[in-house]
Amino acid sequence: MMATAGSGMRKRPIPGTGEEMPVMGLGSSGAFEGQDAAKLEALAAVMEEFAELGGTFLDTSPSYGNAEANIGRIAREVGVRERLFMATKVRSESRQAGIEQMARSAELLGQPIDLMQIHNFIGLETQWKTLTDMRAEGRFRYIGLTHFRTSAFEKLEQEMKTKDMDFVQFNYSIMTPEAEDRLLPLAADRGIAVIVNRAFNDGRFFGLVRDRPLPDYAAEFDCKTWAQFALKYVLSHPSVTVTIPATSKPEHLMDNMQAGFGALPDESQRRRMRETMAAL
């Protein structure tokens, strides 16, 4: 039987405030871009089901084509905007251009913007001062920093040690577990909430597991599909706050969201999961 919001999606606290966050979020890179009527209809179904199943955290960026415009419009049309924890990004070297970009994001997405993030270190020091000031003024509840490549981990680690950030976003998966070495423990030590992107390695995970049977032991942690296998591995790390797979397909959204329900693998099961992937 498919889990529903009533059966309780797992939540984790945002370390800085204790606010509870459902562990399954929704990304929008690629997925929420475009104008095709059929796709927009599917996106409305995705948004509605996401909220119905208890999801709140929605991550986007001005660089994702017209994703912000689509998200803002669809969220209002299906009546879920007030239920969303809205996260977007700023990517500009100039202070004034960054301020204007953030104002445009707020216009498209609607208020409030709960989390503003600096996208891939662009204009890092300039925008960090602006974001810190805006947080102090109550313009954003939270601020953070994002990247999507393992090659950025050394700089991410430096910034996590020196900046007063509420959230950090980076790539982590069963195929690329390097964040387990330093970033995830550091986030726990510093009280920083962790957003995980690329849990499926941009789809490469499915290329590895295609046509292979799901291991029988996956049932021990309420896992029924390979998508849930990958997501439950990520969510089973205690330092992960939320993961944000992007999709424009309602059936994929429904599958992904089930990873937030039921049991998660323990350390011995995580080890077995890594062994399964290494054998492919």
Side-chain angles (χ1 to χ4, degrees):
M1 180 179 294
M2 186 168 288
T4 66
S7 57
M9 179 182 285
R10 185 179 299 273
K11 294 181 179 181
R12 289 203 171 128
I14 298 170
T17 61
E19 178 181 355
E20 295 254 294
M21 173 66 63
V23 295
M24 285 303 305
L26 182 61
S28 61
S29 177
F32 273 79
E33 300 174 40
Q35 299 282 6
D36 178 78
K39 182 174 183 180
L40 291 175
E41 184 177 349
L43 289 174
V46 164
M47 185 91 71
E48 194 166 17
E49 290 294 341
F50 175 68
E52 182 64 25
L53 288 168
T56 63
F57 189 100
L58 203 162
D59 179 81
T60 189
S61 170
S63 64
Y64 301 162
N66 63 338
E68 286 188 326
N70 284 339
I71 288 167
R73 184 176 65 256
I74 291 168
R76 288 187 288 269
E77 287 175 355
V78 301
V80 301
R81 177 61 183 90
E82 68 283 358
R83 294 157 65 181
L84 297 177
F85 183 108
M86 193 66 74
T88 191
K89 308 178 184 78
V90 58
R91 44 177 299 126
S92 174
E93 298 289 351
S94 155
R95 177 179 182 277
Q96 186 57 37
I99 290 171
E100 291 171 3
Q101 187 177 73
M102 289 185 277
R104 177 61 174 162
S105 292
E107 179 184 342
L108 292 172
L109 293 167
Q111 294 284 8
I113 302 294
D114 297 282
L115 167 63
M116 183 61 71
Q117 305 158 97
I118 296 175
H119 203 166
N120 299 347
F121 306 143
I122 296 169
L124 177 57
E125 297 306 328
T126 297
Q127 302 305 338
W128 190 256
K129 183 179 187 313
T130 301
L131 263 60
T132 302
D133 291 344
M134 287 183 163
R135 179 178 59 182
E137 295 165 3
R139 302 275 295 279
F140 309 121
R141 296 196 296 139
Y142 300 105
I143 61 175
L145 182 63
T146 82
H147 215 284
F148 68 106
R149 295 190 185 278
T150 306
S151 59
F153 280 10
E154 183 175 352
K155 183 166 180 57
L156 271 174
E157 181 180 359
Q158 295 170 355
E159 300 302 331
M160 290 168 67
K161 287 179 177 178
T162 58
K163 286 183 168 55
D164 179 24
M165 64 183 70
D166 304 298
F167 280 81
V168 63
Q169 180 179 153
F170 50 75
N171 58 299
Y172 170 51
S173 76
I174 195 168
M175 291 174 63
T176 50
E178 290 86 346
E180 294 172 6
D181 296 334
R182 301 172 70 135
L183 292 192
L184 286 164
L186 178 59
D189 289 344
R190 294 279 293 164
I192 302 170
V194 172
I195 308 159
V196 168
N197 59 44
R198 302 182 83 184
F200 299 136
N201 289 81
D202 296 332
R204 290 194 296 278
F205 171 81
F206 296 110
L208 284 177
V209 302
R210 184 175 292 115
D211 300 325
R212 295 178 181 270
L214 189 69
D216 290 342
Y217 68 82
E220 297 171 9
F221 45 89
D222 302 314
C223 175
K224 297 180 179 179
T225 68
W226 279 114
Q228 294 167 31
F229 188 91
L231 292 168
K232 280 180 175 275
Y233 182 85
V234 166
L235 294 175
S236 63
H237 196 291
S239 297
V240 171
T241 309
V242 60
T243 185
I244 52 169
T247 184
S248 59
K249 298 180 179 180
E251 64 272 21
H252 290 174
L253 182 280
M254 295 289 286
D255 186 6
N256 293 345
M257 293 294 281
Q258 301 310 304
F261 295 87
L264 291 175
D266 60 23
E267 190 49 52
S268 65
Q269 291 164 330
R270 281 167 57 85
R271 188 161 51 248
R272 196 170 182 186
M273 294 168 82
R274 291 192 294 268
E275 291 168 356
T276 294
M277 294 303 298
L280 296 180

